[in-house]
Amino acid sequence: MAALSTARCLFRSYSRVKNVQKSKQILMKCSVRTFCSETQDNAPTDNAKPSFSDPAVQDVLTRITGLDLQKVFRPIKQELKPPAYQLMTDKQLEEAVDLATEQAKKLLQMPPVLPERKPINDVLCEDKMLDGMDTAKYVFTDITYNIPHRERFIVVRQPNGTLRKASWEERDRLIQVYFPKSGRKITAPLIFEEKNLKLVYSQDRHEDVLDLCLVQFEPDSSEYIKVHAATYENLDKHGKYDLLRSTRHFGGLTWYLVNARRVDGLIVDMLKRELFQDAVSLVSLFHMVHPHSESAQEAASQQATGIDLLKIYAQKESQRSGYIELALQAYEQTAAEGSAA
Amino acid sequence: MVHLSSLLLKKYHGGYVVLRLALAGHKQANRPFYRIVAAYNKRARDGKYIEQLGSYDPLPNIYNEKLVSFNFDRIKYWIGCGAHPSKPVAKLLGLAGFFPLHPMTITEAERRRAQTQRTETATGTEETVEEGQKPVEV
């Protein structure tokens, strides 16, 4: 009799064990949220205006970003290890360089550019009878492991009895408390204040600021967009585009400038460094995004490619047309001399 | 992983599973922190539990919030297995909106309101008494 009941107990608890193990396996297979996965889902293909995540736009931006291996793999602040030397044949060296280019492409993955998120003002319940129940708010977080952070339930019960959904800032803070991400702080670092940002810009460390911003804030939060806008403005004002070339932030910078129609500085910089193909792709991107501008219509009517695109752009849109035309003339001369010789 | 000893324990005690608050870090004085826990009924409050389902910090932080976390998925599972929530856990779940509101929460709110009203009227009468006294003294 006792044996039968213990056997029944064993059977019941074994079924419980099985379920717990299965859920543990599900937990193990849970994957980390990657940056660009969301944008691919929720960016609709807009025929009227191409968005940041369109494949054509991304193509152009990756080409303009460039792939300077020396700059991508330059020494970052990390733990000091003695260098490892390997003896390789030429073929092995090529393979190693290929692997390095692939890894560099992964490192250069562009963070998404999303519109600013709308504030949450959802009230779930108003209980007047709970008024004055406590002096502090109660914040309830759902810690279920395998739901994405965007869909998590975080609700606040206020002392006057209303049960509302938590605002975006509260959400970010609490998700950092219960699911900490390395590098992110609960309160934003002081570097993101106005005067500290100015100091950082004077030291030419725009890239570090943008990396910190990427780690700390969500891509659609207002602080992220503000910091990025301020950094891009500063870069445009001083013409320091080369700081971001061959980093993952160059695409974002170009997209911001193209949307603001202030591409002149960037084109001048490219021409100075003799990156004519990049300048051509940049102008074609500009025409893609602003198809109703004069230069875009002119280019479409003439079906221009290459240097002609740049000439049309210089005549129609830009304010510094003189410099661009001079540079184009010099390029054509050198190309003619090169082909003649 | 359920070990043989806990099966014998359950058979031995004839106990059931409860969801309750267990005091964590009880070597620290004056800083309580509770874990919301599924444990057998007869176990010590802070002793071995089956699974942790959340936490509750009774002291408010710098933003004046008391942080509570619940693993709703597992709580649903244990309630489905027939676990009984204790009164404080039921109150917290009621405040969260997962359970209907506990009657004691409403009663406590009403008592607090009555208390604040009484202190307000008491201070009101004190002030009037003081004002009454001052002109007499002067």
Side-chain angles (χ1 to χ4, degrees), chain A residues 75-204:
Chain A
I76 355 168
K77 257 194 183 166
Q78 48 185 334
E79 222 180 285
L80 203 63
K81 284 182 286 189
Y85 295 102
Q86 276 183 336
L87 202 59
M88 288 187 189
T89 58
D90 276 334
K91 207 169 111 183
Q92 280 176 334
L93 186 64
E94 277 172 23
E95 282 169 23
V97 168
D98 286 334
L99 272 175
T101 34
E102 268 190 46
Q103 223 208 341
K105 278 192 196 139
K106 262 194 241 167
L107 284 176
L108 287 181
Q109 210 183 23
M110 276 181 256
V113 175
L114 302 167
E116 197 171 326
R117 58 193 177 188
K118 308 222 173 71
I120 309 176
N121 292 324
D122 223 352
V123 171
L124 298 171
C125 191
E126 299 227 7
D127 287 316
K128 290 289 171 8
M129 50 193 166
L130 283 183
D131 196 0
M133 58 153 195
D134 200 357
T135 43
K137 306 182 255 182
Y138 280 88
V139 181
F140 299 96
T141 324
D142 183 13
I143 342 180
T144 321
Y145 194 67
N146 42 359
I147 32 170
H149 290 311
R150 295 276 159 146
E151 291 164 30
R152 227 167 254 289
F153 280 114
I154 304 186
V155 291
V156 176
R157 174 77 75 169
Q158 277 171 312
N160 64 356
T162 36
L163 184 66
R164 62 171 173 89
K165 286 197 187 168
S167 65
W168 283 113
E169 293 83 39
E170 287 169 350
R171 281 189 73 94
D172 285 339
R173 191 164 32 96
L174 285 161
I175 288 171
Q176 179 59 15
V177 166
Y178 291 114
F179 299 95
K181 197 168 149 192
S182 63
R184 209 179 262 211
K185 311 276 178 212
I186 302 269
T187 43
L190 294 172
I191 204 173
F192 295 118
E193 285 175 19
E194 290 278 332
K195 42 186 173 60
N196 296 332
L197 275 179
K198 280 189 205 152
L199 190 68
V200 168
Y201 294 151
S202 63
Q203 289 179 351
D204 273 357

Side-chain angles (χ1 to χ4, degrees), chain A residues 10 13 16-17 129 131-144 157 163 173-174 178 187, chain B residues 2 7 11 56 60 63-74 77 92 94-96 101 109 112-113:
Chain A
L10 264 169
S13 43
R16 206 182 292 158
V17 164
M129 50 193 166
D131 196 0
M133 58 153 195
D134 200 357
T135 43
K137 306 182 255 182
Y138 280 88
V139 181
F140 299 96
T141 324
D142 183 13
I143 342 180
T144 321
R157 174 77 75 169
L163 184 66
R173 191 164 32 96
L174 285 161
Y178 291 114
T187 43
Chain B
V2 180
L7 292 165
K11 194 68 202 127
Y56 168 51
Y63 302 99
N64 201 22
E65 298 162 347
K66 293 189 185 177
L67 298 181
V68 184
S69 61
F70 285 118
N71 189 344
F72 285 120
D73 185 36
R74 297 300 297 165
Y77 168 79
L92 281 175
L95 281 177
L101 274 183
R112 270 193 190 232
R113 258 176 283 159

Side-chain angles (χ1 to χ4, degrees), chain A residues 213-285:
Chain A
C213 179
L214 199 65
V215 166
Q216 178 68 31
F217 301 118
E218 295 280 305
D220 51 359
S221 63
S222 56
E223 295 98 359
Y224 179 95
I225 295 175
K226 260 187 258 169
V227 170
H228 275 253
T231 318
Y232 295 150
E233 291 288 330
N234 188 277
L235 281 171
D236 192 32
K237 206 166 72 168
H238 298 283
K240 296 180 188 169
Y241 306 101
D242 200 44
L243 286 170
L244 285 196
R245 193 164 273 135
S246 215
T247 59
R248 60 202 300 212
H249 305 289
F250 196 76
L253 168 67
T254 332
W255 183 254
Y256 179 84
L257 291 173
V258 166
N259 278 355
R261 300 178 89 129
R262 275 182 290 152
V263 210
D264 294 331
L266 188 51
I267 291 195
V268 164
D269 183 70
M270 279 180 178
L271 292 174
K272 267 191 216 164
R273 290 171 208 280
E274 296 175 15
L275 299 161
F276 287 95
Q277 291 308 314
D278 285 353
V280 167
S281 352
L282 180 57
V283 176
S284 59
L285 176 68

Side-chain angles (χ1 to χ4, degrees), chain B residues 126-138:
Chain B
E126 270 179 30
E127 281 170 11
T128 47
V129 161
E130 278 179 17
E131 282 168 25
Q133 275 181 359
K134 270 183 199 160
V136 167
E137 285 172 2
V138 169

